[in-house]
Amino acid sequence: MSESNTTKPGLRKSRVGVVVSTSMNKTIVVEYVARVPHPRFKKIVKRSKKFYAHDETGQAAVGDKVRITETKPISKLKCWELTEVLSH
């Protein structure tokens, strides 16, 4: 029973968003915009959410398009880490 848990790790969520703040040490704020249908009227609406992500090397700048991946909690607000910078 336990060998299936050890051989296959859980799937980690991944998001692509735009960096809106880099003023904290080793932390960036990424705004993610999802286009989802309205539950009643079925019109496509934009839903945005901000994620705090860990940036160890400080390679991301404000306005960059980045990919972040879910990870174990690093602090009270941070449970995402920077995977790659897609465009500057």
Side-chain angles (χ1 to χ4, degrees), residues 19 21-22 24-30 52-61 64 66 68 74 78 80-83 85:
V19 178
S21 174
T22 59
M24 294 171 276
N25 293 330
K26 298 184 181 182
T27 304
I28 57 174
V29 181
V30 179
Y52 288 80
H54 185 67
D55 183 11
E56 184 69 34
T57 58
Q59 60 186 355
D64 288 354
V66 296
I68 57 175
I74 299 169
K78 278 199 298 187
W80 296 82
E81 64 183 350
L82 178 68
T83 305
V85 178

Side-chain angles (χ1 to χ4, degrees), residues 35-54:
R35 298 180 63 209
V36 296
H38 188 277
R40 182 170 182 185
F41 302 114
K42 309 302 183 207
K43 179 183 176 180
I44 300 296
V45 293
K46 292 181 182 178
R47 300 285 166 103
S48 64
K49 184 165 173 62
K50 290 182 181 178
F51 294 104
Y52 288 80
H54 185 67

